[in-house]
Amino acid sequence: GKMSAMAETIDLSVLWENAAVAVRLVQIAAYKDFEENARQFGQAPRYYGLLGMIETNPGLSQTQLAGYLHLVRASIVPILDKLSADGLVERRLDPTDKRIRRLWLTPKGRKLMSKLSAVAQQHEARMFAGFSKGEKQALLQLLRRANANLSRNYESLESVA
């Protein structure tokens, strides 16, 4: 049709010349694919990474979690409020410092993550179709390095957790 003929003349190179733009474009596509394939889990899929951090680091503080996800603590509180209300995350006061709230997945949260992990594996398979294991590992390593270059010093964050 008319659109496909027009689309052929569009120069998309600007989307792939700047790494930040390219990463954001892939992130949007990945997010849409994952959400579509995890629709039966409601809002939880959008918090898969956050829930995964809590699952693999039980007792992580809200401040630590916010820092690792590049969020300000205030923006993570309403998300954790919702996940707590949904029965997925439990907050507990730190026994030695009552200003610190520590996070755990509830049994319901762990069960959900088990189901979401299967969806995430299928998503990864679609995203990396045609990639060798080495290519995928190289990409992840390069992204970790870029993230480290842009990250705050987490040691100073953790000392005030």
Side-chain angles (χ1 to χ4, degrees), residues 9-142:
T9 64
I10 295 174
D11 181 355
L12 301 177
S13 63
V14 68
L15 299 176
W16 302 106
E17 290 168 349
N18 177 292
V21 173
V23 165
R24 179 69 173 137
L25 190 64
V26 172
Q27 187 269 331
I28 293 167
Y31 179 86
K32 282 183 172 183
D33 178 84
F34 186 61
E35 289 258 312
E36 266 175 39
N37 289 283
R39 201 173 286 155
Q40 71 268 33
F41 300 106
Q43 295 284 306
R46 77 177 39 170
Y47 305 119
Y48 180 74
L50 180 149
L51 291 166
M53 279 290 292
I54 297 169
E55 182 178 40
T56 55
N57 301 280
L60 191 68
S61 77
Q62 291 183 173
T63 303
Q64 288 171 314
L65 179 64
Y68 287 116
L69 298 177
H70 306 295
L71 299 170
V72 290
R73 201 177 148 276
S75 70
I76 214 168
V77 170
I79 296 168
L80 292 170
D81 287 344
K82 176 166 183 10
L83 295 172
S84 294
D86 291 348
L88 302 173
V89 171
E90 182 187 345
R91 291 169 164 135
R92 298 182 208 154
L93 290 176
D94 184 284
T96 59
D97 186 341
K98 300 297 181 207
R99 296 168 301 178
I100 299 172
R101 288 185 180 254
R102 301 210 171 267
L103 304 165
W104 278 264
L105 287 190
T106 63
K108 180 180 174 183
R110 286 193 298 277
K111 188 174 176 184
L112 174 79
M113 283 302 286
S114 172
K115 292 176 183 173
L116 271 178
S117 291
V119 176
Q121 285 177 341
Q122 294 163 357
H123 166 71
E124 287 271 300
R126 284 189 302 278
M127 185 169 170
F128 289 102
F131 283 65
S132 71
K133 191 175 182 179
E135 286 172 324
K136 178 184 174 185
Q137 291 308 314
L139 175 60
L140 291 172
Q141 181 61 38
L142 293 169

